[in-house]
Amino acid sequence: MEMKKILVVDDEPQIVRVVQGYLERAGFQVVQAGDGEQALSLFHREHPDFVILDLNLPGMDGLDVARAIRRESNVPILMLTARVEEVDRITGLELGADDYVTKPFSPREIVARVRAIFRRAAETAQENELLCVGKLAINLTQRTVTVDGKPVNLTPTEFALLVTMARHPRRVFTRLQLLEQALGTDYPGYERTIDAHIKNLRAKIEPNPRRPTYIQTVFGVGYKLEVVEDAQPPLP
């Protein structure tokens, strides 16, 4: 099995050394950056499989780095943040981060989160099936999504959430159920972060995200994936 490469970005050398040590003992290859500009340079040169990104960086901050990465890649991003305000975490998620960990944190938790995201991607890839909901098509083997034949690029977390709902069209999921079924029962994330991921999904798959056709809000409960009656299923 090819060793996965992880880019760790933090301006605190001690944190980088500790995280790098734990990740390498877990079998990952690690490259490191201390600021946003260096992070983007390494990202383009090293083509990492995963990015661990501190939000509070000197110069170009982590949100700008995440925004730049998302313009060209759906590589998983795990945010590190010392900011306690929920708005900062939600902003990072809305930019396309897959997960976040608040400082101080346990290095073992970082390794567990990384493994969980890789595991979800691998488990989905082993399934040989095509899910179709109206003009929405999800190829689980190739991990591709199309809407009316047009490809849509999703992050691993967005893909997992969409697959969860697409397997049970019209079923209403609470936020907690989506966390458990799409992200794993051991996922310690905050339920409201689902809203940020749903917002991103709608921006990518809906003709009009402000008036969603597919992902419907069930007020006071959660979300469901609606079947558009007049839409013909796409060809495999």
Side-chain angles (χ1 to χ4, degrees):
M1 181 182 296
E2 183 181 357
M3 182 179 293
K4 297 290 188 181
K5 183 184 296 185
I6 299 177
L7 171 61
V8 178
V9 187
D10 198 300
D11 64 331
E12 298 182 55
Q14 177 62 21
I15 288 180
V16 173
R17 283 195 295 270
V18 172
V19 171
Q20 179 174 1
Y22 273 79
L23 288 170
E24 289 179 342
R25 283 193 290 274
F28 298 106
Q29 180 183 354
V30 177
V31 291
Q32 55 179 275
D35 58 53
E37 289 79 4
Q38 184 185 18
L40 290 179
S41 176
L42 281 172
F43 180 80
H44 292 127
R45 188 173 76 223
E46 298 290 338
H47 306 290
D49 302 292
F50 200 108
V51 177
I52 298 175
L53 176 64
D54 183 27
L55 285 188
N56 190 24
L57 295 172
M60 174 185 283
D61 70 13
L63 293 177
D64 289 333
V65 175
R67 187 179 290 109
I69 289 175
R70 276 293 170 258
R71 280 198 290 264
E72 57 187 277
S73 173
N74 289 309
V75 65
I77 297 176
L78 173 65
M79 299 185 306
L80 305 180
T81 176
R83 303 174 183 177
V84 297
E85 292 84 359
E86 181 184 353
V87 64
D88 293 311
R89 300 194 296 268
I90 296 301
T91 299
L93 293 170
E94 289 181 344
L95 287 175
D98 291 273
D99 199 357
Y100 69 87
V101 174
T102 55
K103 296 180 179 180
F105 55 80
S106 163
R108 291 186 179 88
E109 181 181 4
I110 297 292
V111 174
R113 299 286 188 100
V114 170
R115 282 175 166 165
I117 291 174
F118 278 135
R119 184 175 63 249
R120 292 198 305 268
E123 288 172 351
T124 305
Q126 290 174 359
E127 301 181 54
N128 184 19
E129 63 177 301
L130 181 72
L131 297 176
C132 295
V133 180
K135 294 183 179 181
L136 177 68
I138 308 168
N139 188 311
L140 298 178
T141 304
Q142 299 177 8
R143 293 185 61 79
T144 58
V145 176
T146 60
V147 179
D148 200 12
K150 299 177 182 178
V152 177
N153 295 318
L154 302 182
T155 68
T157 297
E158 292 163 3
F159 187 83
L161 288 170
L162 184 60
V163 168
T164 296
M165 291 187 288
R167 285 196 175 109
H168 305 281
R170 294 197 173 106
R171 172 180 167 181
V172 179
F173 290 89
T174 66
R175 292 177 177 85
L176 180 57
Q177 286 173 330
L178 287 173
L179 277 174
E180 292 177 342
Q181 296 193 37
L183 306 180
T185 55
D186 59 345
Y187 182 84
Y190 184 55
E191 287 182 41
R192 302 295 293 191
T193 63
I194 288 293
D195 295 342
H197 292 304
I198 292 294
K199 180 180 179 181
N200 290 343
L201 263 175
R202 282 173 168 162
K204 294 179 179 181
I205 71 171
E206 300 283 1
N208 182 355
R210 294 185 177 182
R211 293 189 175 183
T213 301
Y214 287 105
I215 302 177
Q216 301 289 324
T217 300
V218 181
F219 292 100
V221 183
Y223 299 98
K224 66 176 179 177
L225 188 66
E226 187 57 72
V227 178
V228 184
E229 297 292 354
D230 60 352
Q232 296 299 316
L235 296 175

